[in-house]
Amino acid sequence: MTQLPHAEDLGRARTAADFAAVIALLDTDLNNAIARKGELETEKFHAVVGAGNLTAARAALDDCNAEIALIEKTIEDAYERRVGVPLDDPPAEPVAATPAPGDEVRTNAEALGERWRMVHWLIEELRQELFAADALSRAVTAANGVSDGDAGVKVNLTTIRRTAMAGPRATAPTRLSRPAIQADRLLLSFLSPGGVLDRRPSLGAPVDGIKSKFIPAGERG
């Protein structure tokens, strides 16, 4: 049975600070594993085109994917277990039952800090995935360039990306601050045709300041 990463540290965790320390270690492990996955995917691609041991490359990539899944599950469990635990070791003397003024503000501030830490973790994970995707994209582009026009080997990178990102999207809340709206638009640009990851603009979009002259069949006079 696969040993859970940092299982002993997680088993000893009793306070929110303990769990935060373990989660930080797991985040480091996850980032390292994701970076290694990108390298292994590149090795597998090279093996597919005959520049390596394909069986060994597939086995190493499968092991790495299993490790990433295990770390992600452990992080999720750590976050769930941290809910409701004390922020620090309990005081020696009992505290008054009546909430002190400002407790709600402090609670909201702590919750906000947790949300921003989660945003930071997700952004770092997204960056690692983008790094790995870029490495594979460059490898496929290089393979396309030496395929001698063989249509059965060439790969359309734009089609792959648009198909992969064609899933459902969450609806933004009606009350959203201006910075949050701008950040949401930036994130959506990663998913949208003609966005920051697209090699070509979307249909009808300006190209170097000149709007496309293409007119859909249903709109021609």
Side-chain angles (χ1 to χ4, degrees):
M1 182 177 181
T2 304
Q3 176 67 31
L4 290 175
H6 303 290
E8 292 184 3
D9 295 329
L10 194 57
R12 290 194 298 265
R14 294 292 181 270
T15 67
D18 295 337
F19 281 105
V22 178
I23 290 171
L25 294 174
L26 290 166
D27 284 342
T28 299
D29 290 349
L30 181 62
N31 288 335
N32 292 337
I34 290 173
R36 188 164 64 256
K37 175 184 176 182
E39 297 172 356
L40 292 173
E41 286 176 333
T42 302
E43 291 179 9
K44 177 184 174 183
F45 175 80
H46 289 159
V48 169
V49 297
N53 187 324
L54 181 57
T55 300
R58 283 174 173 169
L61 184 57
D62 288 344
D63 289 344
C64 187
N65 284 329
E67 180 184 358
I68 290 173
L70 181 60
I71 296 174
E72 288 176 337
K73 181 63 170 62
T74 306
I75 291 175
E76 181 181 348
D77 291 343
Y79 272 109
E80 291 178 356
R81 290 178 56 185
R82 188 172 64 173
V83 175
V85 302
L87 295 177
D88 210 334
D89 294 326
E93 297 294 331
V95 296
T98 305
D103 277 357
E104 182 177 0
V105 175
R106 283 190 291 272
T107 300
N108 287 339
E110 290 164 2
L112 178 60
E114 290 299 319
R115 290 289 184 179
W116 283 127
R117 276 188 284 274
M118 177 59 74
V119 168
H120 173 270
W121 177 74
L122 290 172
I123 289 175
E124 285 303 311
E125 185 173 11
L126 172 62
R127 292 180 68 220
Q128 295 295 333
E129 290 295 332
L130 286 172
F131 297 157
D134 184 69
L136 287 172
S137 177
R138 286 185 282 109
V140 173
T141 299
N144 280 345
V146 297
S147 62
D148 297 327
D150 187 347
V153 175
K154 281 186 175 293
V155 176
N156 189 315
L157 297 174
T158 300
T159 299
I160 291 176
R161 194 194 66 78
R162 291 186 179 181
T163 301
M165 294 187 172
R169 302 177 188 176
T171 302
T174 54
R175 298 182 63 185
L176 203 60
S177 68
R178 185 180 296 275
I181 292 174
Q182 292 173 343
D184 185 50
R185 287 174 178 171
L186 176 60
L187 291 173
L188 287 176
S189 72
F190 283 84
L191 306 177
S192 305
V196 295
L197 295 179
D198 235 338
R199 295 173 176 269
R200 294 177 296 181
S202 58
L203 190 63
V207 179
D208 295 331
I210 304 174
K211 185 175 179 59
S212 172
K213 295 182 181 180
F214 176 80
I215 303 175
E219 299 180 9
R220 297 173 185 171

